[in-house]
Amino acid sequence: MKKKVLITGISGQDGSYLSEYLLKNNYEVYGIIRRNSIVEHQRNRIEKLDKQINLEYGDLLDTSSLDRIFKSVKPDEIYNLAAQSHVRISFEIPHFTLQTNGLGVLNMLEAFRAHSPNSKFYQASSSEMFGRSVDNDNCQRETTPFEPTSPYGCAKVLAFNLVKHYRFAYSLFCSNGILFNHESPRRGSNFVTNKVVKTAVQIKLGLKDKLILGNMDSYRDWGHSKDYVVAMNKILNHNQPDDFVISTGITRSVRDLCNYVFTKLDLEMKKYIFQDKKYMRPEELKYLKGDSSKARKLLNWKPQISFEELIDEMIDHWMDIFSSN
Ligand code: F7E
């Protein structure tokens, strides 16, 4: 019999790659989507999977919908990827972010415990939880203390702790993947990688004349979403529930990212990039570099796609879109 999987956030970047990966691996895929007044584009990333996946309307804040879906699907594996995922915007909507990314996870855990306690539960935890905290060797790992620097990070710490607590209190199989930044052509274009690549391609094609950014001196450890969804599945198929850092171990600044993209497109970066306070955060997470040795050893996972391959794929994606218009 096929294993059943329930994915929240299925229409997002990770949800769409994870669905494709699980379908290839013979899972039956169920996903929760939220009602949205604009129907167009909401399901872009999963459109081509339409006939192979089962979608249910629900919401992390609507416990009755979670009860109904858990009872009817009875999933073997649950991937909780739904969230208000934009860190800067979390400063503007802190209450909603805390509810969805914190209490929403509690709602999911309660539905899991009540209706499907023999399933396995994956929580999308985040490197944003580390905030100001870096170990002496300039890395973050599973043992690094959390010192979040945003409402988003605070909510993710709450959720992380709830998952661990449910694991110990109720002997449930629930695990955290502490994923560092992961990108792809499917990334929303208000995240820095896709914003830089999309705008630089538009500049190259004469469709725009500037790129306006916030802090260019923060460092991130960027991987490919396609590699990271494989790690999620390995985390749930490990012999025991646990928490794992998933990262490349290579860090670059936003300036390095811009430099790579603009050089690739043969554009002189300083002519086109401007900074605006509007894109700065009240407190910035300055530096991320993940040590994923634990996942590499215990899960036999490692990233396959390099930073250069990732960005080149994103450049090709936007070139195809804008050149054919
Ligand atoms: O920012 C700087 C910004 O928004 C990266 C989410 O997936 O990863 C993501 O969170 C850096 C920051 O990602 C702009 O200040 C400069 O230092 O692409 P981002 P993020 O905040 O790191 C973690 C792991 C998650 O869990 C989150 O859900 O880039 N930056 N100028 C800018 N960032 C944006 N968005 N826009 C700018 O104009």
Side-chain angles (χ1 to χ4, degrees):
M1 245 202 0
K2 281 186 172 186
K3 273 203 218 169
K4 277 192 197 172
V5 59
L6 177 64
I7 305 174
T8 71
I10 193 168
S11 57
Q13 167 188 262
D14 292 358
S16 63
Y17 283 120
L18 180 64
S19 300
E20 287 166 18
Y21 179 74
L22 295 175
L23 285 168
K24 268 199 209 113
N25 285 283
N26 210 27
Y27 280 80
E28 199 175 323
V29 176
Y30 290 79
I32 301 185
I33 51 162
R34 272 183 313 148
R35 197 263 163 186
N36 190 316
S37 57
I38 306 166
V39 181
E40 287 74 22
H41 308 305
Q42 207 199 345
R43 298 186 198 176
N44 270 2
R45 297 177 178 109
I46 48 171
E47 227 154 41
K48 64 176 197 284
L49 307 179
D50 215 25
K51 296 207 165 56
Q52 302 168 65
I53 58 181
N54 309 280
L55 298 177
E56 299 274 350
Y57 277 108
D59 194 300
L60 262 51
L61 300 179
D62 181 337
T63 52
S64 66
S65 70
L66 299 183
D67 287 339
R68 172 178 55 77
I69 295 167
F70 269 83
K71 272 191 216 162
S72 71
V73 176
K74 295 201 170 45
D76 297 290
E77 295 177 12
I78 303 148
Y79 294 85
N80 185 39
L81 312 184
Q84 190 302 89
S85 64
H86 202 284
V87 175
R88 188 184 57 76
I89 297 174
S90 78
F91 291 95
E92 285 166 38
I93 47 170
H95 202 266
F96 174 76
T97 304
L98 260 294
Q99 277 193 322
T100 307
N101 300 5
L103 295 182
V105 181
L106 177 65
N107 293 340
M108 284 291 291
L109 287 166
E110 278 293 290
F112 161 47
R113 181 162 86 94
H115 307 299
S116 201
N118 297 320
S119 319
K120 295 174 173 185
F121 186 101
Y122 173 88
Q123 167 59 15
S125 286
S126 162
S127 54
E128 187 68 22
M129 301 189 301
F130 293 118
R132 295 168 218 104
S133 190
V134 190
D135 286 355
N136 288 338
D137 65 351
N138 291 330
C139 285
Q140 289 104 349
R141 49 180 61 79
E142 292 81 2
T143 48
T144 308
F146 298 140
E147 282 192 52
T149 49
S150 61
Y152 173 89
C154 293
K156 285 285 180 181
V157 171
L158 168 60
F160 175 94
N161 285 328
L162 284 168
V163 168
K164 249 181 127 165
H165 166 56
Y166 272 58
R167 183 190 309 155
F168 292 112
Y170 307 113
S171 304
L172 296 170
F173 194 114
C174 36
S175 298
N176 286 291
I178 307 173
L179 270 51
F180 281 59
N181 298 54
H182 46 286
E183 318 292 312
S184 76
R186 297 185 194 170
R187 187 59 140 153
S189 52
N190 57 352
F191 291 90
V192 80
T193 51
N194 220 8
K195 178 172 171 181
V196 169
V197 174
K198 181 182 177 187
T199 315
V201 167
Q202 287 172 306
I203 293 172
K204 179 73 186 173
L205 297 174
L207 302 170
K208 276 211 170 146
D209 57 7
K210 55 179 173 296
L211 165 63
I212 305 177
L213 292 175
N215 184 359
M216 294 177 68
D217 298 309
S218 54
Y219 282 76
R220 291 292 183 273
D221 175 334
W222 282 294
H224 198 303
S225 169
K226 247 188 198 173
D227 280 339
Y228 286 36
V229 300
V230 176
M232 295 177 189
N233 182 243
K234 282 182 180 274
I235 288 173
L236 282 201
N237 285 285
H238 187 48
N239 53 17
Q240 57 187 34
D242 205 345
D243 308 316
F244 293 93
V245 158
I246 303 298
S247 65
T248 70
I250 301 171
T251 188
R252 291 179 176 81
S253 66
V254 172
R255 197 176 299 281
D256 296 335
L257 161 73
C258 294
N259 200 9
Y260 180 81
V261 175
F262 278 73
T263 306
K264 188 91 197 179
L265 292 170
D266 205 13
L267 292 169
E268 206 185 325
M269 170 170 140
K270 64 175 190 291
K271 277 197 194 158
Y272 302 102
I273 300 185
F274 300 88
Q275 284 176 288
D276 190 323
K277 280 213 281 287
K278 178 164 112 184
Y279 297 112
M280 307 272 186
R281 300 166 184 197
E283 186 179 3
E284 175 66 88
L285 191 167
K286 296 196 183 94
Y287 177 90
L288 283 174
K289 182 179 176 210
D291 172 6
S292 51
S293 323
K294 181 176 169 184
R296 290 176 196 232
K297 189 165 165 226
L298 297 183
L299 306 176
N300 195 23
W301 174 86
K302 66 172 193 231
Q304 307 291 330
I305 305 169
S306 70
F307 173 81
E308 289 77 10
E309 287 165 333
L310 159 70
I311 301 297
D312 292 353
E313 185 190 343
M314 294 170 75
I315 293 176
D316 290 347
H317 168 81
W318 287 112
M319 271 292 177
D320 279 355
I321 290 182
F322 291 119
S323 318
S324 59
N325 281 339

